[in-house]
Amino acid sequence: QVQLVESGGGLVQAGGSLRLSCAASGRTFSSYVMGWFRQAPGKEREFVAAISWSGGRLWYVESVKGRFTISRDYTKNTVVLQMNSLKPEDTAVYYCAARPRASLARVPHEYDYWGQGTQVTVSS
């Protein structure tokens, strides 16, 4: 089993920044993808970003390109989502997810493990 715990959410003004962290524990895989998704009330869960096992490949949804950065911190066994220039439409619960495959996936059902979510609210 893999356990994922997100932290770092909060309330910020438009144009501000937040840094989300996802701490992983339990079973690990030699090749897997870590992703971030978000879900606003009444909306479907949406792919935001993902990173490969090595950290050498990164993927982003178009709406966050140039503003969000996904990275890995190997010393802390975490994946980080740095969010800059936040907009009100970024408001959602953000979830960390793990996929025990090397290939990218952009839909929630392709990920096997999920954190509990952390709320991000951006005021205008």
Side-chain angles (χ1 to χ4, degrees):
Q1 297 291 339
V2 174
Q3 291 80 46
L4 305 174
V5 179
E6 304 97 332
S7 62
L11 173 64
V12 298
Q13 297 184 73
S17 298
L18 283 174
R19 177 183 172 93
L20 305 184
S21 295
C22 173
S25 62
R27 184 183 177 188
T28 58
F29 302 92
S30 60
S31 180
Y32 64 96
V33 166
M34 298 294 296
W36 286 95
F37 290 76
R38 64 188 180 187
Q39 187 168 23
K43 301 292 182 64
E44 296 292 319
R45 192 164 296 189
E46 175 192 25
F47 172 80
V48 177
I51 187 168
S52 64
W53 168 253
S54 67
R57 292 198 63 191
L58 289 69
W59 304 269
Y60 300 95
V61 68
E62 186 67 27
S63 61
V64 309
K65 288 181 179 178
R67 300 189 298 120
F68 291 11
T69 303
I70 189 170
S71 62
R72 298 179 68 100
D73 185 337
Y74 294 100
T75 63
K76 299 180 179 179
N77 198 30
T78 61
V79 60
V80 171
L81 186 68
Q82 177 67 46
M83 306 186 296
N84 299 324
S85 301
L86 283 162
K87 304 175 181 179
E89 51 263 44
D90 295 317
T91 295
V93 176
Y94 283 69
Y95 297 90
C96 177
R99 168 178 164 82
R101 304 285 190 275
S103 59
L104 169 69
R106 297 181 177 89
V107 293
H109 66 78
E110 295 291 346
Y111 287 77
D112 293 331
Y113 304 101
W114 294 85
Q116 82 289 347
T118 185
Q119 177 71 48
V120 171
T121 303
V122 185
S123 61
S124 60

